[in-house]
Amino acid sequence: DDAGLDLPAEQPDEAKKEEALPAGKFQALVARFKETLGDRVEDVRESKILTDSPCRLVNPSGALNTGMQRVQRLLDKDYKIPHKILELNRNSALIQNISARLSANTGDELINPLIEQLFESALVLEGIHPNPAEMVPRIQKLMEAAARIR
């Protein structure tokens, strides 16, 4: 979860490059993520590491490591979610589908709940979400939309 992690470079996979979200659409999506999440994230940017997951949270430089953040969450009644960097995977079908919704209709009522859910799901995966039960109404709204016959 280190934002400065520098892994050995892989040989670029041409098929993956072709599947990746185009730069203009990706930047529009990043802007929407930043607008929706506001000051809850340090930054939103492209991931150079993810291959399967749609997103991940990384610590900005100088932040406590995630293990210490988990301990802090368990011990502190006034726990606040730490500011992290949200990295998005341009090859993820979910990220591409959210981008397609945004391109088709910037006022689509599902875009912001999808962004919120991705962020909070990442918090759960990190073990630092203060109250995962708060996600249930949003998850149900998204399930209703997915189950709706069109």
Side-chain angles (χ1 to χ4, degrees), residues 62-83:
L64 288 176
N65 70 39
T66 302
M68 288 303 295
Q69 291 170 0
R70 284 187 203 114
V71 170
Q72 203 173 37
R73 181 185 65 83
L74 293 171
L75 297 177
D76 188 0
K77 290 182 183 178
D78 297 325
Y79 173 79
K80 291 183 181 161
I81 298 170
H83 288 103

Side-chain angles (χ1 to χ4, degrees), residues 94 98 101 108-121 135-148 150:
L94 181 54
I98 295 171
R101 280 186 170 275
D108 186 321
E109 66 182 26
L110 290 179
I111 294 172
N112 289 352
L114 286 165
I115 291 170
E116 295 279 350
Q117 192 57 51
L118 270 174
F119 173 68
E120 291 196 19
S121 293
M135 297 187 310
V136 172
R138 183 183 326 103
I139 291 170
Q140 289 173 338
K141 177 182 179 179
L142 293 170
M143 289 172 65
E144 286 172 14
R148 193 175 304 134
R150 297 181 195 240

